[in-house]
Amino acid sequence: MPPVIRFEDVVKRFGDHTVLSDLNFDVAQGERVTLIGPSGSGKTTILRLVMTLEHLTEGYIWIDGKPLTHDRRGDKRVQLKQKEVAETRKQIGMVFQHFNLFPNMSVIDNVTEAPVHVLGRGKEEARERALALLDQVGLKDRADEHPSRLSGGQKQRVAIARALAMDPKILLLDEVTSALDPELVGDVLAVLRDVAESTDISMLIVTHEMKFARDVSHKVMMFDAGHVLEQGPPDQILGNPSHERTRRFLDSIL
Ligand SMILES: Nc1ncnc2c1ncn2[C@@H]1O[C@H](COP(=O)(O)OP(=O)(O)OP(=O)(O)O)[C@@H](O)[C@H]1O
Ligand SMILES: [Mg+2]
């Protein structure tokens, strides 16, 4: 089976600033990988490339063995058409630090919007599934409210339900608890632990919650200036890292 995500010789530049240079890694079906590293090391850029929110400067990203935005044809690198990209992107969900819910829609409409308009699901079917997901994240009774009436932690749980409503193969989580008051973090992490245990969605996770990272991830990758400094099982990287740089980084966030 091909990896669910493969980065092959990925380069990302913003102007003449090289953020990722020659990055290679694989994520297997059901594998959960946590990305750590100092601010500016390229973690968000990696997630945004998978979500096709950034243009890939060089190299390839393969999803289930299929090209995401660029294909290799002979010795040529060919950019795919928007329609082809959109087809693959349906399998990928992302939750952001700042929720990004649609403010003018009720909670349940936030969750059913994409399944109805992108996947073409029936409204009733989408609604039933959305209610089940809202139940899973503990917010079934808030379905008809507007997001503005929810706490940050509740908004983030809606955002998770919204991502899951697309039945993604891949879930990207970018510091989803960083903007929350400390007392709201636990509920969001509990929901994500439940998702990790009850599905085989592959996940790329950026977080400063090291206990959570240790519990849910199979692998931790430490980035420094767009390179993988070291990677391995969470116990090794978080508990006994080889690099002084990793040790200093972990000290700084504890
Ligand atoms: N749209 C952009 N235009 C120009 N430079 C950018 C853009 N987005 C990111 N960068 C630069 O790319 C580098 C990597 O940024 P990125 O957001 O991926 O880092 P990060 O590891 O997620 O950092 P943090 O921990 O602060 O979130 C930074 O130097 C950043 O300034
Ligand atoms: Mg970031």
Side-chain angles (χ1 to χ4, degrees):
M1 253 200 337
V4 170
I5 306 172
R6 165 164 285 175
F7 270 49
E8 181 185 343
D9 304 334
V10 163
V11 175
K12 175 60 186 172
R13 282 188 285 270
F14 292 105
D16 54 14
H17 179 198
T18 302
V19 175
L20 304 172
S21 50
D22 213 19
L23 182 59
N24 289 278
F25 68 88
D26 287 354
V27 179
Q29 173 73 50
E31 192 177 24
R32 297 183 291 272
V33 178
T34 294
L35 314 180
I36 61 168
S39 181
S41 59
K43 306 177 300 291
T44 293
T45 302
I46 290 166
L47 267 50
R48 289 176 58 85
L49 281 169
V50 177
M51 200 60 202
T52 71
L53 296 171
E54 299 288 353
H55 179 80
L56 182 62
T57 312
E58 286 175 33
Y60 302 90
I61 298 173
W62 309 96
I63 303 295
D64 264 339
K66 293 200 217 82
L68 177 61
T69 57
H70 293 78
D71 196 5
R72 188 189 284 112
R73 305 210 177 123
D75 54 4
K76 279 213 178 71
R77 182 172 177 267
V78 183
Q79 187 160 348
L80 298 189
K81 296 194 183 73
Q82 270 312 314
K83 236 174 104 177
E84 297 169 288
V85 176
E87 203 48 49
T88 313
R89 199 183 40 215
K90 285 178 189 170
Q91 306 176 66
I92 308 170
M94 183 157 175
V95 182
F96 302 85
Q97 186 174 351
H98 292 288
F99 330 127
N100 300 15
L101 295 177
F102 306 120
N104 53 337
M105 289 184 194
S106 66
V107 163
I108 185 131
D109 288 349
N110 263 276
V111 181
T112 58
E113 207 274 342
V116 170
H117 292 105
V118 180
L119 299 182
R121 293 217 178 122
K123 286 213 168 110
E124 209 33 59
E125 180 196 352
R127 188 181 162 79
E128 264 171 43
R129 171 99 171 101
L131 285 171
L133 286 166
L134 288 171
D135 196 24
Q136 191 184 344
V137 303
L139 291 169
K140 195 177 179 187
D141 57 335
R142 312 299 292 269
D144 295 316
E145 283 195 48
H146 275 257
S148 59
R149 299 176 56 91
L150 302 182
S151 74
Q154 291 168 335
K155 283 181 197 161
Q156 199 57 300
R157 286 186 275 146
V158 174
I160 294 165
R162 182 176 63 172
L164 294 175
M166 291 292 283
D167 293 322
K169 241 188 134 97
I170 298 170
L171 186 61
L172 310 168
L173 304 172
D174 193 6
E175 299 200 33
V176 299
T177 59
S178 297
L180 301 179
D181 292 336
E183 72 271 21
L184 303 179
V185 168
D187 286 345
V188 172
L189 293 183
V191 163
L192 291 173
R193 281 173 201 270
D194 177 49
V195 173
E197 275 165 28
S198 61
T199 70
D200 74 337
I201 301 173
S202 304
M203 299 189 195
L204 278 182
I205 304 165
V206 179
T207 182
H208 289 168
E209 298 288 338
M210 288 304 133
K211 181 163 183 342
F212 171 71
R214 206 186 263 247
D215 291 348
V216 303
S217 35
H218 302 99
K219 183 163 88 177
V220 175
M221 299 171 79
M222 167 72 188
F223 282 84
D224 191 25
H227 291 277
V228 181
L229 188 62
E230 59 180 314
Q231 57 180 309
D235 281 347
Q236 179 193 323
I237 304 298
L238 304 177
N240 187 23
S242 315
H243 284 261
E244 178 55 28
R245 185 85 194 81
T246 310
R247 219 163 285 145
R248 261 187 290 136
F249 171 74
L250 291 172
D251 283 345
S252 74
I253 61 170
L254 290 178

